[in-house]
Amino acid sequence: MQVRSLLLLLALILVAAAAEAGKSKKEKTKKDGSKCEDWRWGPCVPNSKDCGLGYREGTCKDESKKLKCKIPCNWKKKFGADCKYKFESWGGCSAQTGLKTRSGILKKALYNAQCEETVYVTKPCSSKIKSKSKAKKGKGKD
């Protein structure tokens, strides 16, 4: 009976030691070897042209890092890819300018980006006149 208790106690100690070792491995990969917590990240800089894959540089005290990032090619370059906005519906068409306008309120600033709280965008008014009811051809018999 004493041998069985001793083996059980030994097994519990081994399980606890393995769990503790697993924790320290997770902490190391999570922190990536850096003890610094106040990282400052720059904008995403594309590798070529003005969109696509690129990198973002970060600094913290004497350390620096580069992270991979991506700027969508259809993104509005005026706001930057790190500023996310919630936009209202498009307003009516201005007869004077031929443009419609809508505003967006800042929802999220990624990597501590400097973003405007409210932005305004415009687009040309549609030249097509949309009709809700289309002409029905061949449906009725005389």
Side-chain angles (χ1 to χ4, degrees):
M1 192 69 165
Q2 288 179 349
V3 174
R4 190 179 286 174
S5 300
L6 187 61
L7 287 174
L8 183 61
L9 181 62
L10 183 61
L12 286 172
I13 291 172
L14 288 174
V15 168
E20 193 65 33
K23 279 185 184 177
S24 62
K25 282 183 183 177
K26 286 181 184 176
E27 288 174 2
K28 285 179 185 175
T29 55
K30 184 178 177 184
K31 290 184 180 179
D32 199 24
S34 174
K35 295 178 182 172
C36 193
E37 295 180 8
D38 190 28
W39 284 93
R40 306 259 184 231
W41 296 99
C44 184
V45 178
N47 292 332
S48 63
K49 300 186 181 177
D50 58 355
C51 63
L53 295 176
Y55 65 93
R56 172 188 317 279
E57 290 186 12
T59 58
C60 185
K61 297 180 184 173
D62 296 335
E63 297 180 55
S64 64
K65 286 185 190 179
K66 282 188 178 181
L67 292 180
K68 292 180 183 178
C69 62
K70 182 179 179 183
I71 297 177
C73 290
N74 63 350
W75 189 247
K76 295 154 186 67
K77 296 165 189 71
K78 178 181 176 185
F79 311 137
D82 296 332
C83 302
K84 305 295 180 190
Y85 293 93
K86 179 166 178 62
F87 284 93
E88 298 175 346
S89 299
W90 286 101
C93 185
S94 168
Q96 297 162 337
T97 62
L99 300 171
K100 10 183 182 182
T101 306
R102 71 176 177 172
S103 63
I105 298 172
L106 182 65
K107 186 169 74 170
K108 188 184 235 182
L110 304 174
Y111 295 97
N112 301 325
Q114 300 296 318
C115 303
E116 295 179 42
E117 287 295 319
T118 305
V119 293
Y120 298 92
V121 291
T122 59
K123 72 176 185 178
C125 298
S126 176
S127 59
K128 298 178 183 176
I129 299 173
K130 293 183 180 178
S131 174
K132 289 186 180 180
S133 61
K134 293 183 179 179
K136 295 179 183 178
K137 296 180 181 177
K139 292 262 181 171
K141 292 185 178 180
D142 291 335

